[in-house]
Amino acid sequence: MTDIATRTWDGMTIPVAGTYLLDQAHKRIGFLSRHMMVSPVRGEFAEATAEIFVAEDPLLSSVTATIMSASITTGSVDRDTHLKSADFLDVERFPTLEYRSTGIKWQGNEDPIFQWARLRNHRLGGRGRSHIVPPQSDGIPGRFVLTGELTVKGITRAVDLEVNFGGARQDPYGQNIFGFSATAEMNREDYGLLWNVVLESGGVLVGKTVQIEIAGEAIYQA
């Protein structure tokens, strides 16, 4: 077993500075869109790589990621074939999607439910110590906003990720890792993904807004 590569920052245990790579066995690069305006359809990209540079000052850290567009899967062969076609991702001409961070902002490490409860108790006031919400536990993740640029079909637009830092530790194999999850929203039409069908009852077949859902672990590179 090696020394655990962690340090303390703003009350949290975070990774030491260095380069980390996305763990291929523990990742999900997912998305959600709406079908016929009523039902959510989830999918993901099975193949992706990412390099995360953790700086001495965590707020100077950076991320670059490459996603293989042909690895898209939604559980339907016909739908996946359509998504890979020129109507959408055009994977033969554009084999990758790219993400590059441009900055990071610290949002705090308190769960929003605690913030709400404290505000509620403050408004009520004078109810005694039994109503005081306990301080944050070590299990509550830190929250960041990762500003960056996403490139799809050769078009680059700003996309900011809401990131939850899940913690840092050593895994059973002696690897120093940290976990995270992230969400964002994008308008697919901003990237030239314009195909749609207008429904007779109103609305469109495929929603324009796509929710991004990311989760994973990163491994320290000695």
Side-chain angles (χ1 to χ4, degrees):
M1 300 288 284
T2 60
D3 292 335
I4 299 177
T6 60
R7 53 186 165 144
T8 300
W9 181 80
D10 202 21
M12 293 191 306
T13 299
I14 67 170
V16 296
T19 299
Y20 294 75
L21 297 182
L22 183 64
D23 183 357
Q24 294 300 304
H26 299 94
K27 74 176 190 309
R28 181 175 185 270
I29 313 299
F31 59 88
L32 180 149
S33 186
R34 288 199 169 271
H35 177 250
M36 297 192 69
M37 311 296 291
V38 294
S39 62
V41 174
R42 275 189 162 87
E44 65 180 273
F45 293 90
E47 299 177 20
T49 60
E51 180 175 288
I52 303 168
F53 173 69
V54 177
E56 289 291 345
D57 178 351
L59 299 184
L60 297 178
S61 302
S62 60
V63 178
T64 57
T66 298
I67 300 166
M68 304 307 296
S69 57
S71 71
I72 191 170
T73 176
T74 63
S76 166
V77 173
D78 289 344
R79 182 165 56 220
D80 294 349
T81 299
H82 192 193
L83 290 173
K84 295 174 187 179
S85 74
D87 283 343
F88 287 97
L89 294 176
D90 198 357
V91 301
E92 291 188 5
R93 292 182 59 208
F94 303 97
T96 64
L97 293 74
E98 307 285 340
Y99 185 81
R100 180 182 67 88
S101 68
T102 56
I104 186 168
K105 302 174 185 177
W106 173 231
Q107 299 294 296
N109 58 1
E110 184 174 83
D111 194 304
I113 191 64
F114 288 144
Q115 296 176 350
W116 173 85
R118 283 196 177 91
L119 180 61
R120 181 174 181 271
N121 286 336
H122 178 71
R123 288 201 305 264
L124 293 174
R127 293 279 182 105
R129 294 188 62 83
S130 61
H131 293 275
I132 297 176
V133 178
Q136 172 208 328
S137 71
D138 290 340
I140 296 173
R143 295 178 294 116
F144 298 85
V145 172
L146 189 68
T147 60
E149 297 177 337
L150 176 65
T151 301
V152 180
K153 293 182 72 172
I155 299 173
T156 301
R157 296 283 185 266
V159 172
D160 294 345
L161 294 170
E162 299 280 346
V163 180
N164 278 350
F165 170 69
R169 63 177 59 220
Q170 193 173 84
D171 72 10
Y173 306 101
Q175 300 180 115
N176 293 296
I177 66 170
F178 70 87
F180 60 91
S181 60
T183 59
E185 282 193 356
M186 55 172 277
N187 185 333
R188 64 184 179 86
E189 292 189 346
D190 291 343
Y191 296 89
L193 307 178
L194 303 176
W195 186 91
N196 225 327
V197 173
V198 177
L199 303 174
E200 291 184 3
S201 57
V204 291
L205 182 66
V206 182
K208 298 179 182 180
T209 300
V210 177
Q211 298 177 23
I212 300 171
E213 306 170 327
I214 300 172
E217 294 177 6
I219 305 173
Y220 180 65
Q221 304 300 295

